[in-house]
């Protein structure tokens, strides 16, 4: 009999806990619905802008109102410009760099590097190295290129152009 009472108490406790959990879940759902309703009401309020066709006289009056508002704003815009100048950030703050990365070259748009004598880009499958040459295209009959561990090297044999 004692064991039955013990199990009965445990069953009652679990039942109460389930009821509390269900009530908490219900409150959370209601809160979520309320927030969604507020968002939709705010969206509906912001969508009250309408396109209205006006006559030329109304357009002139509206333009005069806008111009008068603009003439009142320059004083405040001058103050705003002064604030912007005083709040200007240091250019080095724009790009946050680790101390380890200082002094290193930054990659170009092709995940490579642009150097004085050549530039390169890379993907997972390809490596593209571009070496500018002072020799014109129609003057070269043969061009050899070798890439060493530390630098690329190229040379060409010049031939007279046939015009």
């Amino acid at each position: 009999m004692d064991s039955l009472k013990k199990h009965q108490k445990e069953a009652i406790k679990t039942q109460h806990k389930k009821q509390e959990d269900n009530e908490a879940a219900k409150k959370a759902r209601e809160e979520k619905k309320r927030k969604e309703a507020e968002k939709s009401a705010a969206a509906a309020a912001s969508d009250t802008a309408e396109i209205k066709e006006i006559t030329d006289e109304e357009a002139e009056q509206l333009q005069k109102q806008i111009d008068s508002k603009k003439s009142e704003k320059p004083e405040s815009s001058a103050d705003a410009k002064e604030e912007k100048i005083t709040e200007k950030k240091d250019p080095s703050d724009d790009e946050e760099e680790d101390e380890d990365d200082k002094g290193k070259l930054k990659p170009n748009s092709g995940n490579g590097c642009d150097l004085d004598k050549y530039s390169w880009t890379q993907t997972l499958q390809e490596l593209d190295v571009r070496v500018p040459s002072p020799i014109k295209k129609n003057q070269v009959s043969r061009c050899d290129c070798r890439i060493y561990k530390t630098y690329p090297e190229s040379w060409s044999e010049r031939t007279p152009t046939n015009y």
Side-chain angles (χ1 to χ4, degrees):
M1 198 64 145
D2 288 334
S3 64
L4 292 176
K5 287 183 180 180
K6 179 181 175 185
H7 290 292
Q8 181 183 11
K9 288 179 183 178
E10 289 178 12
I12 291 172
K13 284 181 184 178
T14 56
Q15 185 178 10
H16 286 292
K17 187 171 181 169
K18 284 182 182 180
Q19 286 177 348
E20 290 173 359
D21 291 342
N22 287 339
E23 289 174 6
K26 185 177 179 181
K27 286 181 182 179
R29 284 192 300 269
E30 289 174 358
E31 182 69 21
K32 186 176 177 181
K33 285 181 183 179
R34 185 184 61 80
K35 286 182 180 181
E36 287 177 3
E38 288 177 359
K39 285 182 183 179
S40 64
S46 66
D47 291 340
T48 57
E50 296 177 4
I51 297 175
K52 183 179 176 184
E53 195 169 322
I54 58 174
T55 63
D56 291 335
E57 294 88 25
E58 292 173 333
E60 289 175 10
Q61 291 175 354
L62 183 60
Q63 187 64 41
K64 287 178 184 178
Q65 290 175 355
I66 293 171
D67 291 340
S68 65
K69 288 180 183 178
K70 285 183 181 179
S71 64
E72 294 172 3
K73 288 185 181 181
E75 297 170 4
S76 61
S77 66
D79 294 336
K81 287 180 183 177
E82 289 177 18
E83 289 177 13
K84 287 181 183 178
I85 291 171
T86 58
E87 293 178 7
K88 224 176 202 181
K89 294 183 179 179
D90 188 25
S92 62
D93 292 341
D94 292 341
E95 297 179 15
E96 296 179 14
E97 294 182 358
D98 294 338
E99 291 183 20
D100 299 336
D101 291 342
K102 288 184 179 177
K104 292 183 179 179
L105 294 173
K106 293 184 181 179
N108 61 13
S109 62
N111 196 23
C113 189
D114 295 322
L115 300 173
D116 295 337
K117 297 184 179 181
Y118 64 96
S119 67
W120 59 276
T121 59
Q122 66 181 359
T123 63
L124 291 174
Q125 292 83 18
E126 294 181 348
L127 172 67
D128 185 20
V129 180
R130 295 181 185 267
V131 181
S133 174
I135 302 168
K136 294 181 182 177
K137 210 179 216 183
N138 59 0
Q139 293 178 339
V140 176
S141 64
R142 192 177 114 200
C143 179
D144 291 326
C145 180
R146 294 185 182 162
I147 300 175
Y148 298 102
K149 287 184 180 181
T150 56
Y151 64 94
E153 180 180 71
S154 65
W155 66 91
S156 63
E157 291 180 5
R158 294 186 183 195
T159 60
T161 57
N162 297 328
Y163 291 105

